[in-house]
Amino acid sequence: MPSGPDNTHVIVFANEKGGTGKSTTAVHVAIALAAKGARVACLDLDHRQRTVGRYLDNRAATIKRTGQDLPMPVHATHTAQTEAAFEELWGQLSAGADYLVVDTPGRDDPFARTAAALSDTLVTPMNDSFVDFDLIGQVDPETYKVTRPSFYAELIWDARKQRARADGTTIDWVVLRNRLQHIEARNMRRVQDALGQLAKRVGFRLIPGLGERVIYRELFPAGLTMIDAKAFGQMGLGHVAARQELREMMAALALPEPALPLFADAGAA
């Protein structure tokens, strides 16, 4: 199992279901930390879709094309299938980094399981729906009360126990609740209640995530994020609202971070 410097905080974004905003959130967290002056490395474990890798490649191309001074993490994609190659790449990215941000595939993957066990902060994004909730828990179809944790929650529970036995470290498991605009209010309350019940049983923190906004998808080709205020020129109300969501999410993650003003290098909203 790979290891990195003790002072590198590992943040792993993991969810075996696709379409939850995992990669978009991972990129925004990485850039937000880099904007504070932190040394950030990103590892994309999804060599098929490679969303984080392509996002940051697009960002590097924008920096080269425009000459803008944008915060930019070091990044790499794990394409090999051997444990030795994984350990080597993990070590290279961890060396000298304050944070290692890891994006995992939206499917069961052995390297994703290893990364989860090595995380200091494990983030599981999900949308406000019982389709997504089913990944971590099951509910009664009439009362919507939680009946039992699902396989994935048990997997994370085992990873946390394994890590505690190995080095006494506690993995901070965070379920990040993204908001779907088309979900009606009663269903959102039911999902919230079920998440609250399950959080007490399996020990994750529940925090607000990002909204379902076209803005995020439009930023991908240029590799920009909501942190890059100076690159937008004039920001609309949608940008301002999304930027505030990101600020709230970063605060709720409660990551150990450099004592610098939030988004100081990216300009004020």
Side-chain angles (χ1 to χ4, degrees), residues 76-98:
T77 300
H78 174 62
T79 57
Q81 297 301 313
T82 66
E83 186 71 26
F86 174 70
E87 291 185 10
E88 181 179 4
L89 184 56
W90 186 285
Q92 289 174 355
L93 291 173
S94 297
D98 297 312

Side-chain angles (χ1 to χ4, degrees), residues 25 29 176 207-210 245-253:
T25 309
V29 168
L176 190 148
I207 70 170
L210 306 177
E245 285 179 348
L246 180 58
R247 288 177 181 270
E248 293 171 358
M249 183 191 74
M250 289 300 296
L253 279 172

Side-chain angles (χ1 to χ4, degrees), residues 216-231:
Y216 294 111
R217 295 189 288 274
E218 291 177 342
L219 294 175
F220 175 82
L224 295 176
T225 69
M226 294 312 306
I227 296 136
D228 304 308
K230 292 180 180 178

